[in-house]
Amino acid sequence: MAWIFDEKSPIYIQLAQRIKMKIISGQLTSGDQLPTVRELAEEVGVNPNTTQRAYKELEQEGLVFTTRTSGRYVTENKSLLKDIRHDVAHTEIQSFVAKMKDFGFVEAEILSKVKSYLGGDDS
């Protein structure tokens, strides 16, 4: 079944981002082997060149490494994974707070909403 991509950014970036999220969320763990370029391209319904480019992006970030004879693997650098996870969290929080401020909420209200949500109160 092909994945659904939006038209806002290149498909290879969206593909790399989804794989990155699987890595930092623990769905893919250190040392896991990734599908081959052709396998992933077929799975998601894209050209193999797009998959190759996504993998290249992940390699440049250090999230994935290639061995000449046996394929691509998720990095075993736990420190890097932790740093990237925290960077992504920071970016998501920054985006959330900016949107809430656009809605007219002030910081105290945003914090109250988050605390309320985490406490299970839906106010």
Side-chain angles (χ1 to χ4, degrees):
M1 179 178 166
W3 293 5
I4 297 173
F5 297 99
D6 65 41
E7 297 177 11
K8 295 178 185 172
S9 64
I11 291 173
Y12 80 93
I13 291 175
Q14 294 177 62
L15 182 56
Q17 191 67 19
R18 289 185 189 181
I19 296 168
K20 180 179 183 176
M21 290 302 136
K22 286 184 175 192
I23 293 170
I24 64 172
S25 71
Q27 293 176 33
L28 291 170
T29 60
S30 294
D32 280 355
Q33 186 173 11
L34 299 176
T36 67
V37 167
R38 291 193 185 283
E39 289 170 345
L40 184 59
E42 188 174 315
E43 176 187 334
V44 301
V46 298
N47 185 297
N49 292 331
T50 301
T51 306
Q52 178 66 33
R53 203 159 170 198
Y55 277 166
K56 184 178 177 185
E57 288 288 314
L58 294 168
E59 284 183 30
Q60 289 176 339
E61 283 189 64
L63 286 169
V64 170
F65 66 92
T66 302
T67 61
R68 284 183 62 92
T69 58
S70 62
R72 287 183 177 81
Y73 295 86
V74 175
T75 184
E76 294 180 0
N77 184 339
K78 305 254 188 224
S79 176
L80 175 68
L81 291 173
K82 181 180 176 183
D83 289 346
I84 290 174
R85 185 171 181 244
H86 285 281
D87 289 347
V88 169
H90 178 77
T91 301
E92 291 296 321
I93 291 168
Q94 203 171 25
S95 175
F96 169 75
V97 169
K99 285 178 186 176
M100 294 298 286
K101 286 181 175 181
D102 287 346
F103 295 149
F105 290 97
V106 296
E107 288 179 19
E109 291 173 310
I110 296 168
L111 193 54
S112 174
K113 291 278 184 198
V114 170
K115 285 181 179 179
S116 175
Y117 177 80
L118 290 174
D121 182 12
D122 291 331
S123 45

